[in-house]
Amino acid sequence: DGRVVYTLQPISGKAEIGDVLAVHEAINGSPMRYLMLEDPIPAGTEFVQNEGSYEIDHRPGGWYDWFTRREFRDDKAVFFADDFTGRQEIFYLVRVVNPGSFQISPARVEPMYQHGVQATSDALHLDVPEPVAAGGAQ
């Protein structure tokens, strides 16, 4: 019918310039009020502002907006929740725009009004090779 439908697949190996990546964060913990998640993105990517333009087959249930507010800043996504139920998932899209070897800093989740309490994810790495020039030469 002329529609383009995307399927989520785990990234294997290297990303290519132009790839759209789905970022997935799962948060587990005690229910609480006023939670914040800060999730840095690699320097070689940018946020997809209009996620609705990507029709995704079998979109995970946690994709939808359970949070109160989200902000896409230059280097990170920030999500705020007035009420956290104890387990939530966040998904958003980034597009690969530059080649390079990029370190992804850990995501950090914390109650907004309880200083000194936080949890972090693992650091990750993203490799994006230089595109191959026409004719196969680099």
Side-chain angles (χ1 to χ4, degrees), residues 1-114:
D1 62 2
R3 294 182 353 205
V4 175
V5 179
Y6 297 87
T7 301
L8 296 175
Q9 299 174 352
I11 190 169
S12 59
K14 300 177 180 182
E16 302 291 331
I17 292 177
D19 284 354
V20 174
L21 307 177
V23 178
H24 173 211
E25 295 284 343
I27 306 167
N28 292 301
S30 301
M32 67 177 58
R33 306 240 332 134
Y34 308 114
L35 187 75
M36 177 179 66
L37 169 72
E38 292 183 318
D39 191 21
I41 63 169
T45 64
E46 63 184 24
F47 292 106
V48 172
Q49 296 295 333
N50 186 4
E51 294 175 355
S53 63
Y54 288 86
E55 184 177 344
I56 298 174
D57 187 32
H58 303 296
R59 192 176 281 233
W63 194 290
Y64 304 98
D65 301 342
W66 62 269
F67 45 85
T68 307
R69 177 181 168 88
R70 76 176 181 178
E71 297 175 3
F72 291 143
R73 299 180 181 167
D74 289 339
D75 59 347
K76 64 186 166 189
V78 185
F79 297 84
F80 303 94
D82 287 349
D83 289 301
F84 174 67
T85 63
R87 171 154 174 80
Q88 293 293 349
E89 296 181 52
I90 290 175
F91 293 85
Y92 61 92
L93 301 176
V94 295
R95 179 178 294 106
V96 178
V97 294
N98 292 314
S101 181
F102 304 105
Q103 188 68 24
I104 307 169
S105 297
R108 184 180 72 199
V109 63
E110 62 186 26
M112 286 187 275
Y113 303 109
Q114 287 180 306

